[in-house]
C-alpha cells in the first residue's frame, strides 16, 4: 500500500508526491512530529478515560477533559508545520508532479506572511492571558489556558521556519547543480 | 470605485491561485492577507478586524465538538492499516459470488461500510482502488464503469454518518442558524446539532448507496468466476463483517440514540478500532480477547445498571473496566511492536493538521471577505434572484455545484455556508414555514459530494489515478475515468432532486429521534 507506508523518515501523504527535495532543519520537524504525535495519542487516551468513567461510573473529570482539549490543540498547532514539511496539506493538483517554482513563491508569499501575522497578533494575546494567569471556563477545570495561547505563538513561529525551510529546499531544487 | 470591487477580485484571485497547486490552506490565508493589505491601502478595510484572528484560532482548536475529528481520523487510519477493509471486501465478494453484479455491488457495500466507519475520502478511495479495481477488471467490468464505481463508492463517506464533513457542516449551519435568529427572531429556527445532521443525512446517504448498487447491477457484465485462490482467501464473513459492523453501530447508534455526544462516540470508536486492530495483529492474545468480553459486559452494565449503588455490581464494573483497560494497553503494545501504531498516529496527525489548517485559513478568508463588504454583496445578490426562497436556494446550489468542479468540499463549505446560509435561513419556505436548517445542510452535503467526482479537479479522481498500478492505469486513463463518473454524478443530482421534492427524506428521522 504505497499511501499507507512511510517514505523513509517521513510519512508522506501522496504516492504521486514523493518528497524530492532535501529540507533543511529536517531534524527539528522530525522532533516536533514526534512531540505532536505523542500529544495526539495522549489525547485519545485522556478522552477515552473521561468517556469510559463517565459512562460506567457517572464520574466526571473536568480536569482530564480539559487536558484532552489542550493536547488536541497542541497537536494541531505543532502539526501545522510538520504537515507542511511532509507535504501533507491538500493541494488542487493539476499536474501530478509539484512545481518547485510554485512551492518557492507560495512558501515566501503565502505561508510565511500568514505565520508572521499570526505570531505578531498572538504574542500580545498570549501575554495578556499569561499575565492574568487565565484559568479554565469550568472552575473545576485544569486551568492554565495561557499555555495553549502561548503555543499559538510557538506553532506560528514553527510554521514560519517550516515555510522558509521549504522555500530554501525548492530554491535549491531549481538551481542547477554545479 | 476600484476599491468596491476588491471583494469580487479577492474571490477570483483565490480561484486562480488555487489552480497553481500550492496547498489550499495557505493559499486561502495568503490571499486573505494580500487583500487585507490592498483594502487597507485603499481605505476600505480596517486592519483592526485582523485582531480577531488569535481568538478565532483559539476558539477553533479548543472546540470540543471538533475534538471528534482527530478521534474519527485515528479510528479510520487504524482500520485501514490493520487490513480490516481488505478482509471486508474479500469476504463480501465471496458471499455475493454468482449473483449478477456481485462484485460491483460488494464494492458499493464496502464503500458504504468504510464510509460509515472512517469517513475519510482519500483513505477509502485508495483502499478500494487497490483492492477492487484489479478484480473488477478481471471479472470483465468495463474500465469506465470500474473507475466511476470505485471513485463514487469511495466518496460515500461524506454523506453517510458519522462523517467528519458532517460534523464541520453542523458547526457551520448551527452558527448560521444562530446568526439568522439574532437578526430575525421571527424566523423561528431550531438550533442544529451534529446529531440532527447525522440523523438527517442517514436516509439520503443510504438512498444514494442503493441507487449506486442498482445502477451497477443493471450495467454489470456476466462475471467471470472467482479464481480458486480468491475463494480460499478471506476470513469468514461473520468474522470480518461483524466486528466492523458492531463498531459502526456502536458509534452511530450511541449518537443517534442520544446516549453520547459525537466526541464521546468518536473516542469509543477510536478505542474500539484500537482493539479490533490489536486483535487482527495478534488473534490469540488473551488480554485482548478478555477485553472484548469485558466491553460487552460493560455495555450491558451501562444500558441496564448505570448509576447503581449495589456493591456487587460496582465491583463487577470496576473489574470489567480494569480488564478493558488492560486489553487496550495490550492492543497498543501489540500494534506498536507490529509497527502500525506510530505510523498511524503520525498519519492521523497529518490529516488532522491539514483539516484544521483549512478551517483556520478559511475563517481568516471569510473575516477579510466580510471586512471588504463581501457579505453585503452576497445577500444583495441572493435577494434579487427571481423565484423567492426556492430560487435563492437553487442559485446557491448551482454555484456550489459549479465551484465543485474546481474546489473541494471543505473550501466551498467554509466560504459559501457562512456567507449564504444566514441569508437563506431567514427566507420563509413557499408555504410560509421557516426553512429547516437540517434540510439545507443535507442538500449542501449531497451537492458537495459531487465536488470530489467532477473533473478536472475531483479529489477522488486524483486519489484513484494516483493509486492505480502501471497496467491498470493504462486501461483507466483520465479520459475513461472522467466518462465513467458521469452516471454517478447524475445519480447524485437525482438524489438532490428527490431531496428537493421530498424534504421528508432528510427531516423525518431527526424529527422522530429528537422530538
Amino acid at each position: 500500500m504505497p499511501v499507507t507506508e512511510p517514505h523513509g523518515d517521513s510519512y508522506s501523504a501522496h504516492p504521486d508526491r514523493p518528497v524530492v527535495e532535501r529540507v533543511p532543519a529536517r531534524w527539528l520537524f522530525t522532533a516536533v512530529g514526534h512531540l505532536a504525535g505523542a500529544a495526539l495519542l495522549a489525547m485519545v487516551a485522556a478522552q477515552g478515560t473521561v468517556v469510559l468513567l463517565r459512562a460506567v461510573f457517572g464520574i466526571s473529570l473536568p480536569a482530564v477533559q480539559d487536558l484532552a482539549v489542550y493536547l488536541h490543540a497542541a497537536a494541531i498547532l505543532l502539526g501545522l508545520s510538520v504537515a507542511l514539511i511532509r507535504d501533507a496539506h491538500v493541494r488542487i493538483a493539476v499536474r501530478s508532479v509539484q512545481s518547485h517554482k510554485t512551492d518557492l513563491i507560495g512558501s515566501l508569499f503565502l505561508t510565511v506572511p500568514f505565520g508572521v501575522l499570526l505570531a505578531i497578533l498572538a504574542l500580545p494575546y498570549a501575554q495578556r492571558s499569561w499575565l492574568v494567569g487565565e484559568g479554565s471556563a469550568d472552575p473545576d477545570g485544569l486551568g492554565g489556558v495561557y499555555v495553549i495561547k502561548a503555543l499559538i505563538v510557538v506553532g506560528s513561529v514553527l510554521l514560519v521556519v517550516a515555510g522558509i525551510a521549504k522555500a530554501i529546499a525548492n530554491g535549491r531544487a531549481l538551481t542547477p547543480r554545479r | 470605485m476600484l476599491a468596491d470591487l476588491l471583494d469580487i477580485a479577492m474571490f477570483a484571485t483565490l480561484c486562480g491561485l488555487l489552480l497553481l497547486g500550492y496547498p489550499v490552506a495557505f493559499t486561502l490565508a495568503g490571499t486573505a492577507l494580500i487583500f487585507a493589505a490592498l483594502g487597507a491601502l485603499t481605505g476600505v478595510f480596517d486592519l483592526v478586524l485582523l485582531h480577531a484572528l488569535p481568538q478565532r484560532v483559539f476558539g477553533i482548536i479548543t472546540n470540543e465538538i471538533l475534538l471528534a475529528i482527530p478521534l474519527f481520523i485515528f479510528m479510520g487510519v487504524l482500520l485501514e492499516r490493520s487490513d480490516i477493509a481488505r478482509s471486508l471486501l474479500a469476504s463480501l465478494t465471496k458471499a455475493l459470488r454468482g449473483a449478477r453484479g456481485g462484485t460491483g455491488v460488494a464494492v458499493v457495500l464496502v464503500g458504504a461500510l468504510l464510509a460509515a466507519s472512517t469517513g475519510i475520502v482519500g483513505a477509502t478511495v485508495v483502499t478500494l482502488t487497490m483492492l477492487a479495481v484489479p478484480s473488477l477488471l478481471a471479472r470483465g467490468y468495463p474500465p469506465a464503469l470500474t473507475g466511476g464505481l470505485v471513485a463514487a463508492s469511495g466518496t460515500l463517506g461524506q454523506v453517510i454518518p458519522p462523517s467528519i464533513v458532517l460534523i464541520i457542516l453542523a458547526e457551520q449551519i448551527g452558527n448560521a442558524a444562530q446568526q439568522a435568529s439574532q437578526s430575525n427572531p421571527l424566523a423561528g429556527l431550531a438550533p442544529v446539532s451534529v446529531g440532527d445532521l447525522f440523523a438527517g443525512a442517514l436516509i439520503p446517504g443510504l438512498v444514494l448507496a442503493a441507487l449506486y448498487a442498482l445502477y451497477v447491477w443493471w450495467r454489470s457484465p456476466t462475471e467471470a468466476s472467482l479464481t480458486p485462490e480468491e475463494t480460499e482467501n478471506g476470513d469468514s464473513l461473520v468474522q470480518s463483517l461483524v466486528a466492523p459492523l458492531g463498531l459502526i453501530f456502536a458509534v452511530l447508534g450511541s449518537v443517534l440514540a442520544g446516549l453520547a455526544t459525537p466526541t464521546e462516540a468518536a473516542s469509543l470508536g477510536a478505542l474500539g478500532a484500537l482493539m479490533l486492530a490489536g486483535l487482527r495483529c495478534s488473534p490469540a492474545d488473551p488480554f485482548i480477547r478478555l477485553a472484548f468480553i469485558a466491553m460487552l459486559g460493560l455495555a450491558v452494565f451501562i444500558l441496564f445498571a448505570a448509576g447503581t449503588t449495589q456493591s456487587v455490581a460496582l465491583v463487577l464494573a470496576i473489574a470489567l473496566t480494569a480488564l478493558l483497560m488492560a486489553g487496550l494497553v495490550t492492543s497498543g503494545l501489540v500494534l506498536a511492536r507490529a509497527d502500525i501504531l506510530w505510523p498511524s498516529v503520525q498519519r492521523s496527525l497529518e490529516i488532522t493538521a491539514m483539516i484544521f489548517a483549512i478551517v483556520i485559513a478559511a475563517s481568516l478568508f471569510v473575516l477579510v471577505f466580510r471586512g471588504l463588504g463581501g457579505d453585503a454583496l452576497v445577500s444583495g445578490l441572493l435577494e434579487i434572484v427571481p423565484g423567492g426562497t426556492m430560487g435563492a436556494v437553487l442559485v446557491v446550489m448551482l454555484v456550489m455545484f459549479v465551484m465543485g468542479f474546481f474546489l473541494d468540499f471543505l473550501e466551498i463549505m467554509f466560504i459559501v455556508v457562512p456567507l449564504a446560509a444566514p441569508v437563506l435561513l431567514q427566507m420563509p419556505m413557499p408555504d410560509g414555514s421557516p426553512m429547516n436548517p437540517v434540510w439545507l445542510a443535507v442538500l449542501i452535503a449531497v451537492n458537495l459530494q459531487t465536488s470530489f467526482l467532477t473533473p478536472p479537479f475531483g479529489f477522488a479522481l486524483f486519489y484513484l489515478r494516483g493509486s492505480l498500478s502501471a497496467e491498470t492505469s493504462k486501461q483507466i486513463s483520465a479520459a475513461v475515468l472522467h466518462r465513467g463518473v458521469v452516471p454517478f454524478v447524475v445519480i447524485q443530482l437525482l438524489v438532490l432532486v428527490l431531496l428537493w421534492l421530498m424534504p421528508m427524506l432528510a427531516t423525518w428521522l431527526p424529527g422522530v429521534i429528537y422530538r
Side-chain angles (χ1 to χ4, degrees):
Chain A
M1 292 199 166
V3 157
T4 61
E5 295 308 322
H7 297 291
D9 64 333
S10 90
Y11 299 88
S12 181
H14 302 287
D16 52 335
R17 294 185 172 285
V19 180
V20 283
E21 73 265 33
R22 295 294 307 158
V23 180
R26 185 151 205 135
W27 58 269
L28 173 66
F29 295 102
T30 309
V32 174
H34 285 305
L35 202 62
L40 192 74
L41 194 59
M43 182 279 278
V44 175
Q47 185 66 42
T49 310
V50 169
V51 170
L52 213 58
L53 291 185
R54 193 192 73 102
V56 179
F57 303 107
I59 302 171
S60 74
L61 299 168
V64 183
Q65 179 63 65
D66 273 359
L67 180 68
V69 174
Y70 292 2
L71 287 167
H72 159 82
I76 295 168
L77 290 172
L78 298 176
L80 291 178
S81 55
V82 176
L84 181 69
I85 289 290
R86 291 186 197 158
D87 265 330
H89 286 289
V90 166
R91 305 162 179 257
I92 291 177
V94 187
R95 296 158 292 225
S96 59
V97 181
Q98 69 202 65
S99 147
H100 293 298
K101 212 177 282 175
T102 302
D103 275 18
L104 174 65
I105 296 171
S107 301
L108 289 180
F109 295 99
L110 299 171
T111 306
V112 171
F114 172 63
V116 169
L117 177 87
L118 188 56
I120 291 174
L121 292 175
L123 188 61
Y125 176 73
Q127 273 172 336
R128 266 195 311 262
S129 170
W130 196 288
L131 285 177
V132 299
E134 189 179 356
S136 316
D138 185 332
D140 293 329
L142 190 58
V145 170
Y146 49 86
V147 177
I148 296 305
K149 294 192 173 171
L151 266 180
I152 300 180
V153 183
V154 175
S156 42
V157 169
L158 279 172
L159 188 62
V160 174
V161 176
I164 294 172
K166 276 300 229 193
I168 292 174
N170 283 292
R172 271 186 200 158
L174 279 173
T175 44
R177 282 235 179 101
R178 267 174 292 171
Chain B
M1 178 59 218
L2 207 61
D4 294 339
L5 293 173
L6 271 181
D7 44 10
I8 300 173
M10 179 176 177
F11 199 78
T13 309
L14 173 74
C15 294
L17 284 179
L18 280 173
L19 297 189
L20 292 179
Y22 192 68
V24 168
F26 302 115
T27 310
L28 273 166
T31 311
L33 290 189
I34 293 168
F35 278 85
L38 287 178
L41 286 177
T42 49
V44 287
F45 184 78
D46 188 353
L47 284 177
V48 172
L49 280 176
L50 289 180
H51 283 276
L53 184 62
Q55 181 57 42
R56 289 236 177 154
V57 172
F58 180 77
I60 290 166
I61 60 178
T62 55
N63 183 325
E64 279 192 38
I65 295 174
L66 299 185
L67 198 63
I69 292 174
L71 292 164
F72 274 131
I73 290 173
F74 186 58
M75 167 178 160
V77 173
L78 272 179
L79 289 181
E80 179 206 352
R81 296 212 170 189
S82 56
D83 263 5
I84 287 170
R86 184 191 301 268
S87 79
L88 197 60
L89 185 66
S91 50
L92 263 180
T93 311
K94 210 167 72 176
L96 293 175
R97 68 171 175 264
R100 186 177 160 184
T103 316
V105 173
V107 169
V108 177
L109 284 179
V110 173
L113 286 175
L114 285 184
S117 60
T118 74
I120 307 169
V121 167
T124 316
V125 172
V126 169
T127 312
L128 279 181
T129 303
M130 285 184 300
L131 301 180
V133 166
S135 65
L136 282 171
L137 291 175
R139 299 270 178 298
Y141 281 74
L145 179 63
T146 302
L149 169 67
V150 169
S153 303
T155 61
L156 283 172
Q158 300 307 299
V159 276
I160 296 185
S163 130
I164 290 162
V165 174
L166 288 178
I167 297 174
I168 303 178
L169 185 59
E171 269 286 294
Q172 297 276 319
I173 284 282
N175 290 343
Q178 209 178 0
Q179 217 176 324
S181 309
Q182 273 163 9
S183 50
N184 185 2
L186 295 178
L189 289 167
V192 192
S193 71
V194 178
D196 288 328
L197 204 46
F198 277 7
L202 188 61
I203 293 178
L206 293 179
V207 168
L208 193 59
L211 288 178
Y212 282 177
L214 203 64
Y215 175 75
V216 174
W217 175 79
W218 172 54
R219 285 283 315 276
S220 64
T222 319
E223 294 193 8
S225 53
L226 296 177
T227 58
E229 194 187 53
E230 280 170 310
T231 350
E232 285 291 311
N233 254 336
D235 313 281
S236 75
L237 188 62
V238 177
Q239 205 186 348
S240 60
L241 195 62
V242 166
L245 266 184
L247 191 63
I248 292 162
F249 280 128
V251 170
L252 191 55
S254 57
V255 177
L256 292 184
L259 290 174
T261 65
T263 309
E264 289 169 339
S267 59
L268 289 182
L271 297 184
L274 191 71
M275 293 218 308
L276 285 184
L279 191 68
R280 254 197 104 69
C281 262
S282 165
D285 192 292
F287 281 109
I288 305 179
R289 290 187 156 201
L290 273 178
F292 270 100
I293 300 169
M295 192 170 66
L296 289 180
L298 280 177
V300 172
F301 178 85
I302 292 169
L303 286 177
F304 298 107
T308 184
T309 48
Q310 274 188 326
S311 48
V312 183
L314 271 181
V315 168
L316 187 68
I318 292 171
L320 289 175
T321 310
L323 271 180
L324 180 60
M325 291 204 163
L328 285 167
V329 172
T330 316
S331 297
L333 291 176
V334 164
L335 290 171
R337 221 173 300 141
D339 205 17
I340 292 179
L341 185 67
W342 199 242
S344 304
V345 169
Q346 289 295 323
R347 185 73 195 108
S348 309
L349 175 71
E350 287 172 4
I351 302 176
T352 305
M354 178 271 283
I355 290 182
F356 277 88
I358 295 180
V359 179
I360 291 169
S363 139
L364 175 64
F365 186 88
V366 171
L367 185 77
V368 174
F369 190 70
R370 286 232 171 94
L372 291 171
D375 51 350
L377 178 85
V378 172
S379 60
L381 283 178
L382 286 179
E383 269 151 24
I384 56 166
V385 165
T389 308
M390 295 321 250
V393 175
L394 193 64
V395 166
V396 172
M397 287 296 142
L398 269 177
V399 168
M400 284 187 155
F401 180 72
V402 172
M403 283 171 87
F405 280 83
F406 305 97
L407 303 179
D408 166 33
F409 204 126
L410 286 174
E411 296 93 87
I412 304 175
M413 184 167 72
F414 282 123
I415 298 168
V416 177
V417 172
L419 294 171
V423 185
L424 288 181
L425 288 172
Q426 285 178 54
M427 300 177 147
M429 297 292 275
D431 62 358
S433 62
M435 188 182 295
N436 189 325
V438 172
W439 175 70
L440 182 64
V442 175
L443 274 184
I444 291 173
V446 175
N447 187 349
L448 285 188
Q449 201 205 347
T450 60
S451 71
F452 287 101
L453 294 176
T454 40
F457 305 115
F459 275 88
L461 308 180
F462 294 147
Y463 285 122
L464 189 142
R465 292 267 304 140
S467 42
L468 286 174
S469 66
E471 70 248 49
T472 47
S473 148
K474 258 177 240 147
Q475 288 188 58
I476 306 181
S477 65
V480 168
L481 183 58
H482 293 172
R483 195 149 36 81
V485 292
V486 172
F488 293 94
V489 173
V490 170
I491 291 176
Q492 285 172 334
L493 294 180
L494 192 71
V495 172
L496 266 186
V497 173
L498 279 178
L499 274 169
W500 185 271
L501 298 175
M502 292 186 284
M504 285 285 283
L505 281 176
T507 57
W508 175 75
L509 193 59
V512 172
I513 298 179
Y514 301 106
R515 216 168 355 189

